[in-house]
Amino acid sequence: MSNLIRTDLPKKRKRGESTVFRLKTFGETGHPAELNQLSFRDNLGKLLEFGHFESSGLMGSWSFQLEVHRHPNPLYVLLFVVEEPIEASLNLRCNHCQYVGWGNHMICNKKYHFVIPSKETMAAFLKLEGGILVSPEKESLSHLVELQGHVLHGFFHSNGFGHLLSINGIESGSDLTGHQVMELWDRLCSGLKARKIGLNDASHKKGMELRLLHGVAKGEPWFGRWGYRFGSGTYGVTQKIYEKALESVRNVPLCLLNHHLTSLNRETPILLSRYQTLSTEPLITLSDLFMFMLHLHSRLPRDNYMNNSRNQIISIDSTNCRWSQKRIQMAIKVVIESLKRVECRWISRQEVRDAARNYIGDTGLLDFVLKSLGNQVVGNYLVRRSLNPVKKVLEYCLEDISNLLPSSNHELTTLQNQYQMGKTTTTTNGHNKITRGQVMKDLVYFYKHILMDYKGVLGPIGILNQIGMASRAILDAKYFIKEYHYIRDTLMKTIQLDGGGKLGIFCTIAWKSHHHNNDIKMPPQECIVVNKNATMSEVYREAERVFREIYWELRDVVVDNQREMAPWVDEMALNGNKGLVLDGNVGVMMNIEVMKYYDDEDSKKKDKRIECECGAKEEDGERMVCCDICEVWQHTRCVGVQHNEEVPRIFLCQSCDQHLIPLSFLP
């Protein structure tokens, strides 16, 4: 069990007592814990006091039941917090830290995984034995954090640095939107006072990489809305290269692009002119085009919200079926009424079919309608369809979305009437309109044929070839970081606590690493709490305890309080063997001795020479191949090995291949 939980504090609730927290406010101060500005450790401990402790042993786990909404039907999700001690980790070093640029950080004692399982991952984690759900205590918690496809999975190191590993929204079958999941994660990071959070941006939609799509449209990735900025790139991409690539693509004039495209592809210029006509403002650059299309797509209703009428039934294409549109509409009405009668409960496909057969005898027609209605809007309702992960059957549910629909359709009608060209959906009165699905389809087309398919469609012609190269650089910028400034804002200060009876001292320690060319190693500052009249010896002992608790490498740390003290300098540098102690309301930095040094696994990794032609000198998470002669590692992509090809069993780099002297006696 975690030593973050203080046993001297009164219990917030009895063991086994079911407490529900609101998803919308969970993680804010007071919801549920009163958090402070002092340290990540203290805040995490306070939060976990409100969780239900699920298991003990090597890996502890706490769970929180979060209420998403109460109406029309209550919806809850489970948030698990899993404590992973270093003894349970497969690797001492964190690869995520290495890739995001924190490879020089010290090894922490623990990780804290925050997981909201999806229906699929929860079903894989739990087992059914004779219809009885087995308790998670009988499962391996390491299996839960290793599963892929969670609605949310992020973790924190015990020093407050962390990583967001995955989020999955409604399109992946989640009951939460991607924005809801990110808002929850951001509140947790803010409330707990995390230091920095890194992520590998692999978000995509309809085959489009969102870091490229939103980068071109808005100048930042999708995660940029929550403050994530460039951290590190792959294949040698630096922040300067990334920013230059964004600028060059975003500022491409559409008139120049249209001029080059006219002789290469007829459809793309036509589509460009359609959206130029549809926009009330002139679209001058490529950024303007993608920004307008994203904005238009977000404001249009679902495709099945037809002809400016909330109560109109969905229109299903009947050109490839044997039933008339009139019979299809009648069958849709029957299915909707059948779902209404069960009061928005989830029921199986067979139950819906059986209820509708009382009015529609043609089972083939019913099968066709049920297949077409999945996750579609009909009037004021959304017909939801999902696969039950336990029963393995399709289930349907009717959700009232009348409060989400626009109160006035005047603006939508105006937009639709302006769309007079190209791909349109023709209504019975002959007017043309644009749909949400058509905007998305055109967005995918532009993404593919302007940003990505530059070799096949656009050709190597000046600015068009530059778009392709810049897009590749943007895609190679995968690692983004958000920095939380709570610790930095209180840098090296002493705070009075408990009415002045105690002091919160922000301090750090420093020592020379004999395994790294005598480099000075100094972890981020931590807040230690001591009595107001504490001696320096007590301060040192408390600092030892705190840093031992956080860092595996400092498990035997001893603060040397006998050395001569020197005055404070702004550069926080060490002067020979002298430590620095701050007086007054500033803070403390101390020299230490490490009685037993750790096995430096990182020094072995340093022996791995990486010298790729792209300029990379460190591992970035991309596939590499090693030369069998010089043992230098390079990216497979940079040496011409495609992603779908296996790494050669024997590989020679270009330098070794050129200098290889052929043996004359070999045939």
Side-chain angles (χ1 to χ4, degrees):
M1 185 172 178
S2 171
N3 51 15
L4 287 173
I5 304 299
R6 293 168 54 187
T7 57
D8 59 326
L9 293 176
K11 296 293 183 181
K12 297 295 186 291
R13 59 185 175 90
K14 295 180 180 179
R15 178 179 174 82
E17 181 182 345
S18 178
T19 301
V20 179
F21 307 99
R22 291 188 62 195
L23 174 75
K24 191 173 182 179
T25 57
F26 188 80
E28 296 177 354
T29 182
H31 302 277
E34 293 294 338
L35 306 177
N36 58 46
Q37 298 282 343
L38 295 182
S39 75
F40 169 79
R41 297 181 344 273
D42 292 343
N43 289 325
L44 180 61
K46 291 178 180 179
L47 176 65
L48 295 184
E49 289 170 7
F50 287 85
H52 177 68
F53 190 69
E54 299 285 353
S55 60
S56 58
L58 194 58
M59 296 182 69
S61 172
W62 296 260
S63 65
F64 299 85
Q65 189 175 12
L66 307 182
E67 179 188 72
V68 182
H69 57 69
R70 296 182 182 179
H71 304 288
N73 290 322
L75 177 61
Y76 305 94
V77 295
L78 274 178
L79 170 66
F80 289 94
V81 181
V82 180
E83 179 188 67
E84 179 187 357
I86 194 169
E87 294 81 7
S89 301
L90 297 177
N91 300 307
L92 291 178
R93 289 284 172 184
C94 175
N95 289 331
H96 302 289
C97 285
Q98 175 73 32
Y99 302 151
V100 83
W102 304 337
N104 61 338
H105 285 197
M106 290 194 297
I107 302 172
C108 291
N109 279 319
K110 293 176 181 177
K111 299 175 186 174
Y112 294 89
H113 297 264
F114 283 69
V115 178
I116 298 180
S118 64
K119 296 176 182 178
E120 292 76 14
T121 56
M122 196 64 181
F125 175 59
L126 302 174
K127 291 182 179 178
L128 288 174
E129 294 182 1
I132 301 177
L133 197 62
V134 176
S135 169
E137 294 185 35
K138 299 182 181 180
E139 291 291 325
S140 170
L141 289 170
S142 61
H143 181 51
L144 176 65
V145 300
E146 291 170 1
L147 290 173
Q148 303 294 320
H150 293 303
V151 175
L152 166 67
H153 186 190
F155 72 86
F156 300 96
H157 295 288
S158 51
N159 64 353
F161 288 82
H163 307 275
L164 177 59
L165 301 185
S166 68
I167 64 168
N168 287 288
I170 290 179
E171 291 190 352
S172 301
S174 167
D175 292 319
L176 303 177
T177 65
H179 283 78
Q180 285 178 305
V181 180
M182 274 303 301
E183 290 291 344
L184 170 63
W185 174 251
D186 195 52
R187 284 197 305 273
L188 286 169
C189 296
S190 299
L192 294 174
K193 304 302 179 286
R195 284 196 166 101
K196 292 183 182 180
I197 303 296
L199 61 85
N200 180 357
D201 188 355
S203 57
H204 57 86
K205 185 173 185 178
K206 303 292 184 181
M208 298 182 290
E209 299 284 351
L210 294 187
R211 65 183 180 280
L212 176 57
L213 178 63
H214 284 259
V216 174
K218 304 176 182 180
E220 62 182 18
W222 183 79
F223 293 98
R225 174 174 179 173
W226 292 274
Y228 285 85
R229 298 293 180 259
F230 178 89
S232 64
T234 60
Y235 299 105
V237 172
T238 62
Q239 183 172 357
K240 184 177 181 180
I241 294 175
Y242 171 69
E243 293 174 350
K244 200 71 176 178
L246 275 179
E247 180 184 2
S248 62
V249 176
R250 300 186 73 232
N251 294 329
V252 171
L254 289 181
C255 59
L256 180 61
L257 184 64
N258 189 65
H259 171 74
H260 286 285
L261 288 171
T262 301
S263 60
L264 297 172
N265 186 292
R266 296 185 59 186
E267 185 173 0
T268 305
I270 293 174
L271 282 177
L272 285 173
S273 65
R274 289 173 186 169
Y275 284 94
Q276 289 276 19
T277 304
L278 187 58
S279 175
T280 57
E281 300 291 335
L283 304 180
I284 300 175
T285 65
L286 198 57
S287 174
D288 295 337
L289 172 66
F290 280 99
M291 188 66 177
F292 170 71
M293 295 182 72
L294 286 175
H295 180 68
L296 180 62
H297 179 267
S298 67
R299 300 189 67 177
L300 285 173
R302 299 287 179 180
D303 288 359
N304 300 315
Y305 175 71
M306 305 291 287
N307 294 337
N308 305 325
S309 173
R310 289 189 182 182
N311 298 317
Q312 183 164 345
I313 296 298
I314 180 177
S315 175
I316 296 179
D317 185 8
S318 60
T319 56
N320 296 324
C321 67
R322 63 178 185 270
W323 300 281
S324 66
Q325 190 66 231
K326 183 178 180 180
R327 292 191 65 193
I328 292 174
Q329 297 295 336
M330 179 60 69
I332 292 174
K333 290 181 180 180
V334 171
V335 170
I336 296 300
E337 291 300 321
S338 300
L339 290 172
K340 285 182 181 180
R341 284 194 290 270
V342 298
E343 299 179 349
C344 300
R345 289 188 296 106
W346 284 95
I347 61 175
S348 67
R349 179 185 181 278
Q350 188 62 44
E351 291 178 278
V352 181
R353 192 173 183 266
D354 292 342
R357 281 201 64 188
N358 295 327
Y359 306 92
I360 305 292
D362 190 339
T363 56
L365 173 59
L366 287 176
D367 291 338
F368 174 77
V369 169
L370 286 172
K371 179 181 179 181
S372 304
L373 275 180
N375 299 318
Q376 301 291 339
V377 176
V378 181
N380 289 342
Y381 297 94
L382 170 64
V383 182
R384 301 191 66 180
R385 180 177 65 186
S386 178
L387 178 66
N388 189 308
V390 177
K391 298 179 181 179
K392 303 299 182 184
V393 295
L394 285 174
E395 293 182 342
Y396 287 78
C397 176
L398 201 62
E399 182 177 346
D400 187 354
I401 60 170
S402 57
N403 60 327
L404 302 178
L405 296 174
S407 57
S408 171
N409 293 306
H410 174 71
E411 183 179 2
L412 176 61
T413 305
T414 303
L415 285 174
Q416 292 175 344
N417 291 337
Q418 286 180 346
Y419 193 71
Q420 300 293 329
M421 304 177 63
K423 299 179 184 178
T424 59
T425 300
T426 305
T427 60
T428 54
N429 60 4
H431 291 289
N432 293 325
K433 71 173 186 177
I434 186 173
T435 66
R436 185 185 181 101
Q438 288 167 350
V439 175
M440 177 57 67
K441 186 180 295 184
D442 292 340
L443 196 59
V444 172
Y445 181 88
F446 284 139
Y447 177 91
K448 177 182 177 182
H449 291 88
I450 294 180
L451 300 180
M452 295 300 296
D453 196 16
Y454 58 94
K455 293 182 179 178
V457 177
L458 304 182
I461 305 177
I463 193 171
L464 304 179
N465 190 42
Q466 294 177 14
I467 292 176
M469 292 188 296
S471 296
R472 184 71 267 170
I474 296 171
L475 288 175
D476 287 340
K478 298 180 179 181
Y479 299 102
F480 296 87
I481 294 174
K482 179 173 181 179
E483 181 176 0
Y484 295 85
H485 301 284
Y486 305 105
I487 300 301
R488 193 173 67 180
D489 289 345
T490 55
L491 188 65
M492 302 302 279
K493 290 184 179 179
T494 302
I495 301 176
Q496 292 189 0
L497 304 173
D498 295 340
K502 292 188 177 182
L503 294 178
I505 304 174
F506 286 89
C507 69
T508 187
I509 57 181
W511 78 99
K512 287 186 177 181
S513 172
H514 301 293
H515 293 253
H516 294 278
N517 300 320
N518 288 328
D519 292 339
I520 295 174
K521 302 194 71 172
M522 187 165 54
Q525 295 184 74
E526 298 292 338
C527 181
I528 62 173
V529 179
V530 296
N531 293 325
K532 183 178 181 180
N533 57 353
T535 65
M536 287 306 298
S537 178
E538 292 173 332
V539 173
Y540 292 144
R541 299 291 78 78
E542 179 64 14
E544 287 178 4
R545 185 193 66 79
V546 169
F547 282 96
R548 284 178 177 179
E549 179 182 304
I550 297 175
Y551 296 103
W552 178 74
E553 300 174 55
L554 300 180
R555 61 194 182 278
D556 298 307
V557 63
V558 175
V559 174
D560 183 2
N561 61 345
Q562 301 299 324
R563 298 187 180 182
E564 180 184 353
M565 303 304 173
W568 167 251
V569 292
D570 291 338
E571 294 78 13
M572 290 177 60
L574 290 180
N575 181 14
N577 291 326
K578 296 179 180 180
L580 298 178
V581 174
L582 310 184
D583 200 357
N585 62 348
V586 192
V588 178
M589 184 171 73
M590 294 163 280
N591 251 342
I592 66 167
E593 291 181 355
V594 180
M595 304 303 293
K596 182 196 295 184
Y597 208 77
Y598 66 100
D599 292 329
D600 193 0
E601 179 185 318
D602 187 55
S603 63
K604 300 176 183 178
K605 288 190 175 183
K606 295 297 182 181
D607 295 334
K608 184 176 180 179
R609 289 178 55 203
I610 299 175
E611 296 179 7
C612 190
E613 60 184 41
C614 68
K617 300 293 184 182
E618 300 284 345
E619 286 190 86
D620 54 15
E622 301 297 335
R623 191 173 65 158
M624 290 187 168
V625 61
C626 179
C627 175
D628 288 292
I629 294 180
C630 65
E631 298 184 346
V632 170
W633 291 79
Q634 295 176 284
H635 292 117
T636 53
R637 191 182 87 179
C638 296
V639 297
V641 180
Q642 302 300 320
H643 285 293
N644 57 353
E645 297 179 4
E646 292 185 2
V647 177
R649 295 181 60 184
I650 299 177
F651 172 76
L652 300 182
C653 66
Q654 184 177 5
S655 177
C656 293
D657 188 41
Q658 292 177 349
H659 293 86
L660 187 64
I661 301 176
L663 299 178
S664 58
F665 56 84
L666 291 178

